Amino acid sequence: ITDLSIVASIRDFGPDAIIHTAAMTNVDGCEQDPDLAYKINVVGTRNVALAARQSNAAMVYISTDYVFDGTKGSPYWEYDAPNPLSVYARTKWMGEQVTRDLLERFYIVRIAWLYGDGPRNFVRTVLRLAESKQMRMVTDEVGSPTYARDVAQALAQLVRQPAYGIYHLPNAGACSRYDWAREILHLKNKLDVEVIPTTNFQRAACVPKQVELNNIIGANLGITMRPWTEALQDYIQHLDEA
């Protein structure tokens, strides 16, 4: 997406809608290489948006709860003012602005703590750490674990409606990473694993401490997201069956 030639490739394909999921999502990696993060998350998004404009296609831009600083003290509405704290968050926020500047037919969809199919995600990390029978997890990072399949189903509903704008579509509810890890172990019946609560985990990027995204506008269209605990249970069952 960082190559301008993608504009012509997408235009020649002639899409009705584009769901733009490509991004540099390694939060700490963005801190270490901000130019690359900008090139992918901002310039790349601009290229895709230009392609959407030339194709007269609607575009879905996948954004993040990290555009907020986590200090509100209550769930964030769709039009609360962002205040990104890290390179990753700033470049994703810039991607939102690019989308809004270049397009009239767009959906900006903010999600959080995504997991799903693939070799790397928080759930798989917790299960790997469980092999040592002990792990440390922070209690001072709060968000909404979100199952990728639920987001995909929500997007399929959303793009069928010309109700353009900003949406919050994570799974409902919020928890700390400590609580999330304990729920994963509970669902896998690994009750002998000790999870030690901790705070102020040192990392390259500054991340928001408490962000829960309120789904008000999506729910008004009939697009609701189930509780994160129910979604996690389905994912664990999917892993067991696989």
Side-chain angles (χ1 to χ4, degrees):
I1 63 169
T2 60
D3 190 329
L4 192 60
S5 66
I6 196 174
V7 175
S9 298
I10 295 174
R11 183 189 63 228
D12 293 346
F13 183 72
D16 296 311
I18 300 167
I19 299 177
H20 173 36
T21 62
M24 183 172 178
T25 59
N26 182 332
V27 178
D28 291 330
C30 289
E31 257 347 94
Q32 294 158 4
D33 196 342
D35 286 346
L36 181 61
Y38 183 82
K39 186 176 181 181
I40 295 172
N41 294 345
V42 185
V43 178
T45 296
R46 185 177 187 275
N47 290 341
V48 178
L50 285 172
R53 180 169 179 158
Q54 292 182 19
S55 306
N56 195 30
M59 188 176 100
V60 178
Y61 173 71
I62 302 299
S63 191
T64 171
D65 59 326
Y66 276 27
V67 299
F68 298 113
D69 61 15
T71 63
K72 182 181 178 184
S74 61
Y76 283 88
W77 295 316
E78 289 87 348
Y79 289 94
D80 274 330
N83 184 30
L85 301 178
S86 65
V87 170
Y88 166 72
R90 285 195 296 275
T91 55
K92 291 299 289 180
W93 167 231
M94 291 174 189
E96 289 191 14
Q97 294 177 78
V98 166
T99 300
R100 297 173 72 173
D101 286 348
L102 291 178
L103 300 174
E104 294 182 358
R105 300 171 61 216
F106 64 84
Y107 311 87
I108 291 170
V109 178
R110 296 178 183 136
I111 56 177
W113 293 15
L114 193 68
Y115 65 92
D117 293 337
R120 294 182 60 191
N121 61 50
F122 184 83
V123 180
R124 290 183 182 274
T125 297
V126 167
L127 295 177
R128 176 175 54 79
L129 293 174
E131 296 174 4
S132 65
K133 302 300 181 182
Q134 187 182 86
M135 67 186 73
R136 293 181 179 274
M137 287 291 163
V138 293
T139 58
D140 59 350
E141 286 183 30
V142 174
S144 301
T146 301
Y147 188 13
R149 291 192 179 192
D150 286 8
V151 177
Q153 291 170 3
L155 294 181
Q157 288 181 263
L158 183 61
V159 297
R160 287 175 170 83
Q161 308 182 57
Y164 307 115
I166 300 175
Y167 293 86
H168 288 173
L169 295 177
N171 283 120
C175 64
S176 68
R177 291 194 180 271
Y178 169 82
D179 293 328
W180 188 11
R182 291 196 62 178
E183 184 66 15
I184 293 165
L185 297 171
H186 169 73
L187 291 171
K188 289 293 289 184
N189 200 30
K190 294 182 178 292
L191 305 180
D192 59 334
V193 178
E194 182 183 13
V195 185
I196 303 170
T198 186
T199 58
N200 297 317
F201 178 72
Q202 297 300 308
R203 55 186 301 178
C206 180
V207 300
K209 293 299 184 183
Q210 183 167 347
V211 178
E212 181 178 355
L213 300 177
N214 224 345
N215 172 18
I216 301 296
I217 297 176
N220 194 46
L221 295 176
I223 303 173
T224 57
M225 303 294 286
R226 60 181 166 169
W228 70 268
T229 49
E230 291 182 17
L232 179 61
Q233 186 172 6
D234 271 5
Y235 177 67
I236 294 293
Q237 183 177 349
H238 169 71
L239 285 182
D240 290 342
E241 290 171 354

